[in-house]
Every structure is written in structure tokens, then in C-alpha cells.
Amino acid sequence: MHIPDGFLSPPVWGAMDIVSGSFLVLSLRRVARRVEERAIPLMGVLSAFVFAAQMINLPIAGGTSAHFLGAALVGILLGPCAGLTVIVVVLFVQCFLFQDGGVAALGANVFDMGVIGSSGSYFVYRLFSRMKKGPQAVFWSGFWTAWVTVFLSSLCCAGMLVLSHVVSWKVGLSVIGGVHALIGLLEGVVTGTILQAISRSRPDLFNRPKI
């Protein structure tokens, strides 16, 4: 889902840089005020997990790539602002050290994977967790949260490419959206399984304040 430079039109990547930058500034201020010392190691571990998960890329239409996000797990465990911060750190390292994703398109990638993928997952998970009860509630809430946010992120990515006249809506929805709809199923299983295991072995990670 990393968009390289040269694919988005200046109005699109410029607007996304402003929007994502605004979200990042608000998140950093909130994290700086409210972060707990014990949350810092967890943020580091999740950063490494996301970085490793996103290193396996499958090139698809419009210069983008299909891959695991890992953003839902981060957002659910850390909260919307801390989750966004972690994803931004990963995307910055990937962009400037590994040339994975463009510099001008960084705001677009942050919006897709950070704002929607991570911050959005926190609120989606809260919604699903209220709807689902029982011993498997954590798994299914995590599963559907991961699938929904991966799919929505891919649709947003497709929309940016369509607005930049790189692909048509048909290609964007069928290829970019379709591939990530399938990837989202696998990511949902992984996310749900990890959350279920954490809820049993380390319930304190669920009960800690989210930022």
C-alpha cells in the first residue's frame, strides 16, 4: 500500500501532507502529555512487529504494493494517538532508509496506514467489542477490526490514485481493494489470534489507559 513518488498529483499529495501532518501534531502533543513509562517498551516492540510485517511486499496496480499492515494491532493495544505515532515512525524509516514509499507521498501513506489503519482501528474495535460477547469476543472483534481497516485503507489509497488519474475506479476497486480484501482476512486471523492470546496471558495490556 506504499505509494511511491511520481504517482500522486501535487494537489492530492499536498492535501494529504497537510491533513496527515495535522493529525500527527495533535497525536504527538497528546502522547507527550499522557504517555506512561511502561508503554514505551510496548511501543518499541509493536514498531518492530509492524516494520517486519510490512517488509514483504507484493507489487500491484498503480505503483502500490500489497502487504500486511499490522496497524490494527497497534491501534487496539496503544490507542489512536500512540498507534499513529508508532506507524509514522515505521513509515519514516521505510521511506528514508529503504525507499519504500515516496517522500512527497508520505502524507498519503501516513493517512492510509496510520490515520485509518491504526487510529481508526481503535474506534472500530471499541464498536465491535460492544457488539460481540462470549469467550471468542476478543478474537472476532480483532478479526473484523483488522479486515475493515485494511480494506478501508486500500479504498482510500485507490481513491487517491484515481484522483491523480493513475488508475480508473474499476481497476482501483477491483485490484487494489480486492487484493487487500483477501489480505485483510489473513491479517484479521493474525490480529485476532494475537489479541486473544494477550487477553489471556497479559490482560493488563488491555486494561491500561489508551492514548
Side-chain angles (χ1 to χ4, degrees):
M1 203 179 296
H2 292 67
I3 304 174
D5 282 330
F7 285 82
L8 297 181
S9 63
V12 173
W13 64 252
M16 298 316 303
D17 284 350
I18 294 173
V19 172
S20 297
S22 300
F23 275 105
L24 179 59
V25 169
L26 294 174
S27 296
L28 289 175
R29 288 178 177 176
R30 186 175 177 86
V31 170
R33 290 196 307 265
R34 299 186 56 184
V35 68
E36 297 178 334
E37 185 175 349
R38 63 175 181 171
I40 296 176
L42 178 61
M43 294 174 70
V45 170
L46 290 174
S47 297
F49 169 78
V50 172
F51 181 82
Q54 292 188 2
M55 288 303 291
I56 303 175
N57 292 280
L58 173 66
I60 54 177
T64 63
S65 57
H67 55 75
F68 283 105
L69 292 187
L73 182 66
V74 174
I76 293 168
L77 291 177
L78 296 177
C81 295
L84 175 59
T85 302
V86 165
I87 296 299
V88 169
V89 170
V90 172
L91 291 177
F92 264 74
V93 172
Q94 291 173 336
C95 175
F96 291 103
L97 294 184
F98 295 92
Q99 288 76 53
D100 191 4
V103 176
L106 188 57
N109 292 325
V110 167
F111 189 82
D112 288 339
M113 291 175 271
V115 177
I116 297 178
S118 186
S119 297
S121 66
Y122 171 77
F123 300 102
V124 175
Y125 181 82
R126 289 184 63 183
L127 176 63
F128 280 121
S129 62
R130 292 173 182 173
M131 296 167 55
K132 295 187 176 296
K133 305 296 180 183
Q136 296 297 318
V138 172
F139 172 83
W140 288 112
S141 297
F143 174 88
W144 288 115
T145 297
W147 186 87
V148 168
T149 52
V150 167
F151 186 59
L152 289 180
S153 297
S154 69
L155 293 184
C156 183
C157 176
M160 295 177 192
L161 293 171
V162 171
L163 292 176
S164 301
H165 307 291
V166 175
V167 298
S168 64
W169 275 114
K170 181 179 180 180
V171 172
L173 294 177
S174 62
V175 179
I176 300 176
V179 169
H180 281 93
L182 297 176
I183 290 178
L185 295 175
L186 186 55
E187 178 149 349
V189 172
V190 173
T191 302
T193 302
I194 293 176
L195 289 175
Q196 185 82 352
I198 291 176
S199 68
R200 293 174 177 173
S201 60
R202 290 291 305 275
D204 57 298
L205 295 180
F206 273 88
N207 299 328
R208 56 171 295 277
K210 306 297 193 297
I211 306 172

